[in-house]
Amino acid sequence: MKDTRGKGFVDRTGALYRRCVSQPRNASAPPDTAGRLSFCGKTTTGTTTTQTRRGAALIVRMMVGPIQANCYIVGCKQTGEAVVIDPGGEVPRIVSEVVKRKLTVRCILNTHGHWDHTGGNDELREITRAPLMIHRGDAPQLSQTPDDWLEEGREIRFGTYRLKVIHTPGHSPGGVCLAGPGVVFTGDTLFAGSIGRTDLPGGDYETLLSGVRGKLFSLGDEVRVYPGHGPSSTIGQERAQNPFFQA
C-alpha cells in the first residue's frame, strides 16, 4: 500500500528518527520527539500498545490499520537493536514507539504478504533505511521489491537476540513464523483458539494444519505465541484447546 502523504513527510520523520537513534541509549530523547512523530498521521480509533519483557527481548505489540492487525517491535534489551514484524499501517505510531524506547530498527520482517500486514512497508523502510524481508513465496504480493529473503532455518540476528525462520505455508504460500527463545510470532498461521484462513489464493487447509503440528507444536508447550491478530497464547494451550487440532 503506497504512502499518500508525500516525500516531505517521509523525509521529516526519517530525520527525526535518525536524530534519535544517533544519541547514546542513556541520553534523553530530543524534546517532543514523540509528539512531532504522532502528529504526522491519523491513528485508528481503539488502537492499543502493550509491552512485554521476555528474557533478553523487549516485545511491543501494536494493533494497527483498519482491521487491527498485530505489529510487533522486538528489541534486544542489551544493545537496543530491533526488528519490526508486520508493519500493517500507522507508521508514525510505530516510529514513535521505536524512538520512545531508543531502539534502532535493523530489519523489517513480513510473516506473509497480505495487505493488512504489509501496508506500512514502504514508509517504514524509507524512514528507517532498514532492509525489508519476506519469504519468496509471498514476494509477488508486495508492491515493492524486498531486500532479502526469509528462508527456512535462517536466523535473523539483532544485537544478542535472534529469530529463526520457520516456513509454514497454508494461509499463504510464503507464510512464515519467527521463533525466538521462549516465543514464536505466528502471523496468520496460528491464532489463540483458531487458525488463519485457507480459502484465499494459495491457501491450503491440510498444509497449514500439518505445518503447525510438525513445526510449531514441537517448540514446546511453554512457548508464548504472538499471532497476527488477537491476543497471545501458548503452544500448550493451542495443542490442548484449539478446536482445529482436536482429533
Side-chain angles (χ1 to χ4, degrees):
M1 189 174 295
K2 188 173 179 60
D3 170 45
T4 59
R5 284 171 291 203
K7 189 174 184 300
F9 160 78
V10 172
D11 289 346
R12 289 191 303 273
T13 308
L16 283 169
Y17 165 78
R18 287 185 288 278
R19 180 184 173 195
C20 292
V21 300
S22 68
Q23 303 294 317
R25 291 197 71 210
N26 60 355
S28 299
D32 195 32
T33 298
R36 283 187 285 166
L37 288 172
S38 63
F39 87 93
C40 297
K42 296 179 180 179
T43 59
T44 303
T45 302
T47 52
T48 62
T49 302
T50 58
Q51 175 177 308
T52 306
R53 293 183 180 270
R54 294 188 65 84
L58 166 70
I59 299 172
V60 180
R61 168 182 171 256
M62 306 178 66
M63 295 165 57
V64 300
I67 61 173
Q68 299 287 268
N70 287 335
C71 168
Y72 296 97
I73 302 166
V74 186
C76 170
K77 292 191 292 188
Q78 181 176 335
T79 66
E81 295 187 358
V83 299
V84 177
I85 301 173
D86 290 351
E90 302 187 53
V91 170
R93 282 186 62 226
I94 296 172
V95 177
S96 181
E97 294 296 332
V98 168
V99 167
K100 183 164 61 176
R101 291 165 175 81
K102 300 177 183 176
L103 301 173
T104 302
V105 178
R106 294 304 185 200
C107 298
I108 301 165
L109 310 177
N110 289 159
T111 61
H112 61 293
H114 292 163
W115 66 271
D116 54 322
H117 295 261
T118 65
N121 279 353
D122 285 348
E123 210 172 79
L124 189 62
R125 179 165 61 169
E126 287 192 64
I127 290 168
T128 63
R129 300 177 181 173
L132 171 64
M133 303 178 69
I134 194 171
H135 191 275
R136 292 177 191 270
D138 272 22
Q141 300 186 50
L142 300 184
S143 62
Q144 61 278 93
T145 302
D147 300 293
D148 207 344
W149 304 111
L150 296 177
E151 299 172 333
E152 172 74 26
R154 181 172 182 175
E155 288 195 344
I156 308 301
R157 296 179 178 271
F158 45 104
T160 62
Y161 201 71
R162 70 189 188 280
L163 292 171
K164 185 175 182 179
V165 179
I166 304 173
H167 184 210
T168 52
H171 177 65
S172 66
V176 301
C177 298
L178 302 163
V183 302
V184 61
F185 299 88
T186 58
D188 284 4
T189 295
L190 179 65
F191 302 136
S194 190
I195 59 172
R197 293 176 59 177
T198 58
D199 60 335
L200 299 172
D204 186 273
Y205 180 74
E206 294 298 335
T207 298
L208 188 150
L209 295 184
S210 175
V212 172
R213 288 193 178 104
K215 294 184 176 182
L216 298 188
F217 284 175
S218 62
L219 296 175
D221 285 352
E222 300 304 314
V223 169
R224 174 63 55 179
V225 173
Y226 290 102
H229 299 270
S232 66
S233 181
T234 65
I235 292 293
Q237 182 174 332
E238 297 314 303
R239 186 202 308 273
Q241 300 178 17
N242 191 311
F244 289 92
F245 301 100
Q246 306 310 303

